[in-house]
Amino acid sequence: MQILQNPVISVIIPVFNAASFLDETLKSILSQTFSDFELIILNDKSTDESLNIIKKFQQEDNRIIIIDKEENVGPANLRNEGINAAKGEYIALMDADDIAMPTRFEKQIEVLKNNPEIGVCGTWFTFFGTGKNKIIKHNTEPDAIKVSFLHSCNIGNPTVMFKKEVLGDLKFDNDYVPVEDYDLWSRLLAKTNFYNIPESLLNYRQHNNNISKTKIDNVNRSVRRVKINQLTQLEINPEDPKIDFYLNAVSFKKRLSPEEVIETINASKVLISQNEKLGYFNLEVFQKHITKNLIRIIRNAGSYNLSFYKHLKNNESVLFQKIKWIDKVILYFKSLKGK
């Protein structure tokens, strides 16, 4: 392979102690049906054989560019450095332990070139490595993806390909690790449309790692911040004392008290009104998302009473009518028993 001066795609792979998986991962990239790319591999001071494996591949394929870090800086900083070094018009992300299907780049390039309004293209992907494989089927259409981000990251980071120009001055923020991808994509949603190809084009390796409670708490805090940041697009103040109810309205929370459910319903009305005024989310998709979430919250409330049931029936009649008949019956008897 000749060194490409102006590759169409720049592929970025951060690596830290991934020797056990690199061979399979790199072969899956180098055998793509679309071959006009450079492969930027950033070694984060690995202490295993990762660097030697990468160098061996580089000897056989000079599309590979190695950036060998003297200090460990983490995946967010590595991806930013890779993006800055990239010569391609398009950036493809990849993790060091995943496997890309042969036509991944070919199909993503086709979407991005033929749809100028789409700046970011992901794909469905398949979890593997810890038992039975499972295909993750995220929303495909831009409006649905944008709304779904209020609940969780609706694009698989190692499946992402994007037009470099749409990123502008945005970058991965190390303060949000390990959900820096959720943070970046949620901010980029304000600038361009996202699309997920409805086909699994990546095998996403899962590991049986024990995650500490401290790490889980850090993840939850970061996820909360990302969600709150998105609500600012609807002019919701992050310091608003009702911020938890706004979050509940767009992101499912179980075991709320009747009073908390009512406050969440009230908060949802404010969000819908703000969105009607500002038009940030597709009105119909946003309304359906909130309605579905509220019904789920009601079904999974922490307790029930007749006052709560009567309030829903009499004061929230539009929402109440959308609850399935059998769920209304269950809700009534739970409220009657005070459970």
Side-chain angles (χ1 to χ4, degrees):
M1 286 279 183
Q2 291 184 346
I3 296 176
L4 300 172
Q5 296 301 319
N6 295 294
V8 174
I9 304 171
S10 295
V11 186
I12 296 168
I13 304 182
V15 173
F16 177 70
N17 289 352
S20 299
F21 316 111
L22 268 175
D23 185 83
E24 196 171 15
T25 296
L26 296 181
K27 284 178 179 176
S28 78
I29 294 297
L30 297 173
S31 61
Q32 288 289 302
T33 55
F34 185 94
S35 60
D36 190 352
F37 62 81
E38 62 178 354
L39 175 53
I40 303 173
I41 305 176
L42 301 101
N43 179 47
D44 204 15
K45 201 176 167 107
S46 296
T47 56
D48 63 2
E49 287 297 306
S50 291
L51 183 58
N52 290 333
I53 293 170
I54 298 166
K55 286 180 176 179
K56 179 182 176 183
F57 273 90
Q58 186 186 47
Q59 290 172 0
E60 300 173 0
D61 196 319
N62 55 18
R63 288 177 296 178
I64 295 175
I65 298 166
I66 301 173
I67 298 177
D68 189 27
K69 304 301 292 181
E70 294 183 0
E71 293 183 4
N72 185 282
V73 299
N77 292 323
L78 288 178
R79 290 192 184 97
N80 289 333
E81 185 173 350
I83 292 168
N84 290 336
K87 298 185 208 140
E89 181 182 355
Y90 302 90
I91 306 291
L93 301 184
M94 182 75 178
D95 287 345
D97 55 353
D98 296 334
I99 302 167
M101 298 299 101
T103 58
R104 177 193 159 187
F105 292 171
E106 177 186 343
K107 291 180 177 179
Q108 288 182 292
I109 279 288
E110 183 179 5
V111 168
L112 292 169
K113 283 189 172 182
N114 294 334
N115 299 277
E117 75 282 4
I118 295 173
V120 179
C121 179
T123 79
W124 289 352
F125 56 91
T126 302
F127 279 133
F128 80 107
T130 58
K132 189 175 181 180
N133 293 357
K134 179 182 179 182
I135 297 178
I136 303 301
K137 299 180 178 181
H138 282 144
N139 287 306
T140 59
E141 297 305 315
D143 287 338
I145 292 171
K146 191 173 186 178
V147 170
S148 293
F149 258 77
L150 289 165
H151 174 68
S152 59
C153 188
N154 210 242
I155 194 166
N157 194 59
T159 76
V160 166
M161 182 183 289
F162 62 90
K163 297 171 183 173
K164 188 177 181 183
E165 65 179 10
V166 302
L167 199 60
D169 59 356
L170 297 182
K171 61 182 181 179
F172 289 101
D173 189 337
N174 207 52
D175 287 343
Y176 283 84
V177 171
V179 296
E180 72 276 9
D181 54 330
Y182 184 24
D183 165 61
L184 176 60
W185 307 136
S186 69
R187 289 182 283 131
L188 190 55
L189 277 168
K191 299 177 63 176
T192 190
N193 287 328
F194 284 41
Y195 177 77
N196 281 314
I197 296 173
E199 178 184 354
S200 179
L201 294 174
L202 180 121
N203 287 344
Y204 190 119
R205 193 183 304 271
Q206 289 188 299
H207 301 276
N208 285 318
N209 292 335
N210 292 321
I211 302 176
S212 67
K213 183 180 183 301
T214 300
K215 186 170 183 180
I216 292 173
D217 289 343
N218 288 340
V219 168
N220 290 338
R221 276 194 295 270
S222 293
V223 166
R224 176 184 168 85
R225 288 169 61 199
V226 173
K227 292 177 181 179
I228 290 173
N229 290 343
Q230 291 179 80
L231 290 178
T232 62
Q233 297 288 348
L234 298 179
E235 297 180 349
I236 300 300
N237 187 336
E239 303 302 321
D240 191 312
K242 294 185 181 294
I243 192 65
D244 283 329
F245 300 122
Y246 291 123
L247 290 173
N248 293 345
V250 297
S251 185
F252 174 68
K253 183 77 178 288
K254 63 182 178 180
R255 301 199 62 77
L256 297 180
S257 68
E259 294 76 19
E260 289 171 327
V261 174
I262 292 170
E263 287 282 8
T264 297
I265 293 171
N266 292 336
S268 75
K269 295 174 184 176
V270 174
L271 294 180
I272 290 169
S273 175
Q274 285 296 99
N275 190 52
E276 288 174 347
K277 180 178 76 171
L278 299 168
Y280 183 69
F281 299 104
N282 175 285
L283 300 185
E284 182 181 357
V285 175
F286 187 64
Q287 173 78 63
K288 284 183 177 179
H289 173 83
I290 284 183
T291 299
K292 182 179 179 181
N293 185 56
L294 290 177
I295 291 173
R296 191 178 173 202
I297 284 173
I298 291 168
R299 291 177 56 200
N300 292 273
S303 61
Y304 301 86
N305 55 57
L306 276 177
S307 175
F308 177 49
Y309 178 85
K310 290 176 182 178
H311 176 87
L312 292 175
K313 184 177 181 181
N314 299 326
N315 299 86
E316 309 296 345
S317 57
V318 175
L319 177 63
F320 189 79
Q321 288 171 7
K322 293 180 180 178
I323 300 174
K324 291 180 180 179
W325 178 83
I326 186 63
D327 288 330
K328 287 179 186 175
V329 173
I330 294 171
L331 174 62
Y332 175 74
F333 281 105
K334 283 184 175 180
S335 299
L336 197 62
K337 294 180 179 181
K339 286 188 177 181

